[in-house]
Amino acid sequence: MDKGQIAAVLQILKRYNLKGTEELLRKEASLEDNADEDVLQPDSSVSSVLTGYKSDGDPETYEASYMELKHFVEGTLDIYKHELGTILYPVFVHMYLELVYNGHTEKAVALMKKFGPEQDSYYQDDLKKLALVMKPDHMNGNELADTFKSNQFIIRISRDTLSLLKRHLNDKKASVLLNIIQEHLYFDMYEGVARNKKQIDATSGAIGGEAKRQDNKTKVYYGIPKLPDIQSLSAPVEEEEEVGDQDNPDKPKKKKAKKDPLFSKKTKSDPNAPPADRIPVPELKDNDKLEKVKALREASKRIVLGPELLPSCCCYTLLNANYSVCCAEVSEDSSMLAVGFNDSIIKVFTLVPQKLKAMKSAEQLEEVNIEAEDVLVRMMDERSGETSRKLCGHGGAVYSVSFSPDRALLLSCSEDTTIRLWSLQIWTCLVVYKGHMFPVWDVKFSPLGYYFASASYDRTARLWATDHYQPLRLFTGHFSDVNCIQFHPNSNYVATGSSDRRVCLWDCATGNHVRLMTGHKSPIHALAFSVCGRFLASSGTDSGVLIWDLSHGHLIAQLMGHERAVHCLAFSRCGNVLVSAGLDCSMKIWDFTKLTEDASSEEVNVSHNPDVKIGTEYLIRDFATKNSPLINLHFTRRNLLLAVAIFDGTNV
Amino acid sequence: MSKISDNDLYGTNFSIESMKVIAESIGIGNLADDAAKELADDVSYRVKHIIQDAAKFMNHAKRTKLIQSDIDSALKVKNIEPQYGFQSAEPLPFRFASGGGRELHFIEEKEVDLNDLLQNLNPKAPLECALRSHWLFIDGVQPTIPENPPPVAKTTQKLESVDPINKKPAKETSGKPTTGKQKLRNVETVQIKQLATHELSVEQQLYYKEITEACVGSDEGRRAEALQSLSSDPGLHEMLPRMCTFIIEGVRVNVVQNNLAILIYLMRMVKALLDNQSLYLEKYLHELIPSVTTCIVSKQFCNRPDQDNHWALRDFASRLMSQICKNFNTSTNNIQTRVTRMFCNALNQADKVPLSSLYGALQGLSELGTEVARIFILPKIKVIGARIESHLEGSLISNIDKTASGHIKQLLIKVLAPILKTIRDPPDNLEEYKQEYGYLGIALHNAVIKARTQPNPVTTVPSNISGTITSSSSITRTVTTPTGIIQQNSNTGRTIVMNPPRVSTQQGNQKFVFVTQRPQTPIGASQSQTNTSTQQNTVVKFVSNAAGQTQQKLTGQQKLVVVSNPMQTNFSTQSSGLMSPTSQPPAMLISKSSFALQQQQSQQLQPPTVDDLSHLA
């Protein structure tokens, strides 16, 4: 920080009357009080100091120096050409913003008109947004301009290419160019051969440039830990005996099961699994255990899917719901479907013959024998069964709903900036979590329950626990809305997808980002972890499905074929098949086993992204619905595919 | 607003004029140009910003259309008061108009009758969202049920017939590597269309048998069901070639055998296939058009041409032909031109061709539209008139020829009177008519005079010597289109049902047939309650005994077209018992479920009364 910046900060502190902080900062920066007078500047200077766009450069020179840079890039050897080409876009954007900032609107517009259309096609949408900025005061509050202003654009570049560029800049001494490159560009240099066009295109496209190598260096425990209570579950008969004295004896047993994988080889635990006590998890209740047993029994009847054995799909079509349904979610055991509406209502449907019952009233509950075996059944009022129930409380469109693993709770998030927790036993709202300042786009329960995560318009994702009003972790770093969030199957990580076209993996334990993956060309709207936990699928409005390897953060495949935004992704429970579906009324089934086999057969170079697999060779089959955009996919425990669609009668 | 050009990063902006107009509307009279410019720039920026944000809300609601509430939400996020009073459940239907070098997008605002509003105290409640389940696919195979799209979409069928070389590889092979074939393709220049085997499953064979039997059998009820299935089942694509062969062969044989009834049934099959939304018949037109033409212009269809009403078959087939022309005419196949030329050839030899064929050609041309009739029929009228005069007024009167001539005369008058009414100026001079149109001049003159005095130009009841009086052959269909109550079936949900409780009385030589028509809705009971256009049409027909018997039958036959789209009704009728909101996966899977459904439906219909065509057989 130079003096000018410190002075600007001091000025702000003074304005807001934060005397303590001001004094501390003065002391630390060893600035004398009298320095105040030296740097006392009009208010406007504050912003100018911080933006770094103040420039006395002659507006006439911008176009010429961009031209000159372009010629230089085109004139270099083919191996360096493409990598050097990546600096053109950020330089262009910053030149435009600098011109706008200094009031040379005509020059800026001329620059944009001349060179804008020749930038890469995936930047055109952003350029359209930037083109809106035509006055210095437009720059405040413009998401894109703010991002470019306050962040360095990251460019991965080989040593040779970088030295070539440096030599060129030294030769030319083009001050405008030099300034921009020094101030706003960050070169993440690597040793080795420069990348080719295909490799660069695969990972570029995000708002802030590519991910740094440093971003993906942390070790990620992507494995799935052994089920803590597997011993008790494998012999369900014992289960009943344990129930009596489960509290104490069960706990150490669990611990043991969790810890031993590292040295007991016969359990064959995943070496990449996180230690079981990495994040605290509430103990399992009797009911949860029964549920687990049930799930395991069901799972044993599961069919293993593959190219030869395709799944069956039952499609639930929502009628009369055009333009009113925002989201839908099926509970883990496939017994319930929750639908969030534009008009702030949530509706829960039962998908099984059992109806949705409510709990008895307080007086009646007193009569229930607590010691009884079936106390949970007795609690419920038999006469209150209904096939669908409404939950009212939100004040805006409901953008996402999520069932708790035990099916007793439902989370919903809304345009009214709140997250609500609902009881599916008494059918009322239990908690309103306020924390986000802007609409909340997505909310998900952790696979273990208790924790949940939310993503919002305010560019943050947050980790919550159901018994805390305040978020436990705040995941910040995205440059734009966080559109979707997903828990890793081992609950230790959450992945977020954002409108800044980056996928990020966050560590719940530390709150840091551990993977940053670029390659999407438009906002990301859906995420799904593979069953093994190593791969992540993401998709969005660019209608491609991208597969990432979390071990190194590499993009391994780009599955193209959809024609419109893909809003739902699902892995089969056996992990062999990936299904994607979206607003183009089609559903595609991909061969995921073949994909991972092909990917692992190649040699993995840690620093380099491997060649991205593109194409339809992994597509097994696609199916169309009748004018019904698909909004949710879910595999039942037996690998039956459930799809939720909205019938669009207006296009018939 | 200025024009938008593609690839322009700057898009449109508000113009200075717009700003001034808006300023005036709030009472600021003379806004300076500079101020307006400044305002226009700023407003454009803000509006675009808001729209960008609104698009986020649209994406998150998983829609592809922006609606008003998205804009409201975007305003709310920016801490601006939303615009109240512009709520609508659906996106605004923007209309587009251009003219005088300007393009305009606007919203069509309907005028609301306040009386209607006042009388309709309880506005219709919106339909509740309901859940319906069906199998999208089973073990990777998509069942052919109404809930699923047809196995081969109409657009692909169309593409296939228009451009067979570019046919995409079938879906089944898309997963398998096809490198070998593609390499071959690059080397050789000749492209061979892949052989496709068309094997029908046992069910399909059964279906084919049932349908064809029902269509030409004697049971009118079964026929109605079969035709309905043909016109609405989505999975008929594979059977289409066989159906067409059945029709073609049937026509070929029965024309020779003078089997009028069967020919009528076959034409009804063509009609049903044409009506099927999921079929594209282009590939089979080269076979169907000759058959249909045969049914229009053939010399003889029946053993008793003086009694049986083969005219109706010609009329019906003519309508089919015009439907074919309308649906499939393109600049490359020129169907309409070729059909027109064919009929004209018959007209050019007006004194040689049999009268019945002449009638067919005339009818065929007149169905193609008034313009065709004006250009091709009108110049020939004198020749035709001369020919029929000899049969009608001459001394050697053959009964067959007389009837035929009567029909031709009647047809010409019906077709030409409205045309003459528009192309000639009011003082209608009888002599001029005689001069120009020869024998038919008098009758045309009468008809035109009548047409001018009558407010309704369609119905012309000429009084002529043959004594046959028929009402105009305009088909009296009652199409109940639900008016906005059910949003799903706005354009294709047709329910045409006729219910003729009829009273026939014998009065001397003439027969009065009262046909009461009432739009009925067999399933959606809610429709008829809310349908405001419920009306009763009573058509009174005066039919003479001699030729009328068959005529009456045929009108009945035309009207008994029961068309409904079961899929539509499934999706839309919430209140009916057909749809249970409980969400159990569909239990049974038969490819002909819609057929079963139709059987259900048609049980609710009353079987067609009196008009049974079986005696004709």
Side-chain angles (χ1 to χ4, degrees), chain B residues 350 374 376 616:
Chain B
R374 192 175 65 80
F376 294 104
L616 284 169

Side-chain angles (χ1 to χ4, degrees), chain A residues 96 108-110 112-113 115-117 124 127-135 137-143 303 309-328 337 339 341-342 347 349-353 387-388 390 395-396 399 415-416 438-439 441 457 480-484 499 523 525 541 564-565 567 583 587 589 594 616-617 619-626 628-631 640-641 643-644 646-652, chain B residues 5-13 37-50 52-67 69-70 72-74 76-79 88-91 126-143 145-150 168 171-177 232 234 278 485-493 565 567-568 570-574 579 581-586:
Chain A
Y96 179 79
V109 170
M112 177 66 92
K113 281 194 170 148
F115 299 111
Q124 292 299 322
L127 287 179
K128 263 184 197 154
K129 288 183 191 168
L130 270 181
L132 290 185
V133 180
M134 287 164 79
K135 299 228 167 66
D137 54 327
H138 288 170
M139 285 171 76
N140 297 326
N142 187 298
E143 187 182 278
I303 49 165
L309 190 56
L310 290 170
S312 300
C313 173
C314 178
C315 183
Y316 291 97
T317 308
L318 289 158
L319 306 171
N320 307 318
N322 215 1
Y323 308 117
S324 67
V325 168
C326 287
C327 63
L337 168 72
V339 180
F341 287 86
N342 212 7
K347 232 174 154 180
F349 296 91
T350 171
L351 301 182
V352 288
T387 51
S388 75
K390 264 185 199 168
Y399 286 119
E415 190 257 331
D416 67 4
F438 285 103
W441 295 133
Y457 180 98
S480 185
D481 304 32
V482 187
N483 292 328
C484 51
S499 286
H525 277 278
T541 47
R564 277 191 183 172
H567 274 291
L583 301 187
M587 182 189 285
I589 303 180
K594 190 177 167 210
T616 51
E617 59 178 307
L619 179 68
I620 302 178
R621 198 67 74 80
D622 64 344
F623 296 98
T625 64
K626 198 166 187 173
S628 312
L630 290 148
I631 57 165
L640 172 72
L641 181 59
V644 183
I646 309 172
F647 179 64
D648 183 358
T650 54
N651 290 342
V652 176
Chain B
S5 66
D6 282 345
N7 220 352
D8 183 6
L9 290 164
Y10 280 89
T12 17
N13 274 335
K37 171 93 181 65
E38 202 71 10
L39 264 176
D41 284 353
D42 199 59
V43 168
S44 304
Y45 171 74
R46 311 250 164 239
V47 166
K48 283 179 187 173
H49 227 242
I50 289 166
Q52 270 178 16
D53 249 22
K56 284 183 184 174
F57 289 89
M58 174 191 79
N59 278 329
H60 280 280
K62 301 183 176 69
R63 273 183 271 114
T64 45
K65 278 182 184 159
L66 197 73
I67 59 173
S69 66
D70 296 330
D72 284 350
S73 303
K76 222 169 123 188
V77 158
K78 295 195 179 301
N79 224 353
S88 153
E90 284 171 40
L127 287 170
E128 171 135 27
C129 171
L131 201 61
R132 183 180 163 76
S133 64
H134 72 273
W135 287 109
L136 192 63
F137 49 90
I138 299 160
D139 295 336
V141 180
Q142 192 158 31
I145 47 172
E147 288 87 346
N148 285 332
K168 282 185 187 168
K171 277 176 194 167
E172 279 72 22
T173 58
S174 59
K176 293 162 196 162
S232 57
S278 63
I485 19 158
I486 293 161
Q487 47 170 323
Q488 274 87 358
N489 59 351
S490 48
N491 26 20
T492 46
N565 197 336
M567 182 253 148
Q568 290 292 337
N570 277 351
F571 271 89
S572 57
T573 49
Q574 307 293 304
M579 253 210 29
T582 53
S583 31
Q584 293 184 342

Side-chain angles (χ1 to χ4, degrees), chain A residues 440-507:
Chain A
V440 189
W441 295 133
D442 199 5
V443 69
K444 284 271 159 46
F445 247 116
S446 137
L448 301 173
Y450 184 63
Y451 295 109
F452 64 93
S454 62
S456 163
Y457 180 98
D458 63 13
R459 304 181 197 181
T460 64
R462 294 171 196 221
L463 179 76
W464 311 69
T466 45
D467 56 0
H468 286 67
Y469 284 114
Q470 296 297 323
L472 306 176
R473 297 279 182 276
L474 208 65
F475 304 122
T476 57
H478 277 297
F479 295 142
S480 185
D481 304 32
V482 187
N483 292 328
C484 51
I485 195 157
Q486 190 78 44
F487 265 98
H488 191 276
N490 68 20
S491 280
N492 281 262
Y493 300 93
V494 287
T496 54
S498 161
S499 286
D500 67 7
R501 309 190 279 268
R502 303 191 301 178
V503 180
C504 200
L505 190 73
W506 309 85
D507 189 342

Side-chain angles (χ1 to χ4, degrees), chain A residues 357-361 365 379-380 389-391 408-409 422-430:
Chain A
K357 290 173 196 140
M359 207 185 268
K360 286 177 180 168
S361 66
L365 276 177
M379 263 160 47
M380 307 313 277
R389 280 177 178 273
K390 264 185 199 168
L391 298 169
L409 301 168
W422 308 83
S423 162
L424 300 185
Q425 284 168 334
I426 53 175
W427 301 97
T428 53
C429 181
L430 300 176

Side-chain angles (χ1 to χ4, degrees), chain B residues 574-611:
Chain B
Q574 307 293 304
S575 50
S576 77
L578 277 170
M579 253 210 29
S580 59
T582 53
S583 31
Q584 293 184 342
M588 59 174 187
L589 284 153
I590 42 165
S591 59
K592 285 181 287 174
S593 66
S594 64
F595 186 58
L597 195 84
Q598 286 145 18
Q599 283 181 329
Q600 259 182 20
Q601 280 176 19
S602 46
Q603 275 163 11
Q604 297 169 355
L605 310 178
Q606 290 190 352
T609 48
V610 195
D611 283 349

Side-chain angles (χ1 to χ4, degrees), chain A residues 3 114 134 177 183 238 280 358 381 628:
Chain A
K3 272 197 172 176
K114 190 163 180 195
M134 287 164 79
L177 208 60
E183 294 248 344
E238 285 173 30
D381 186 355
S628 312

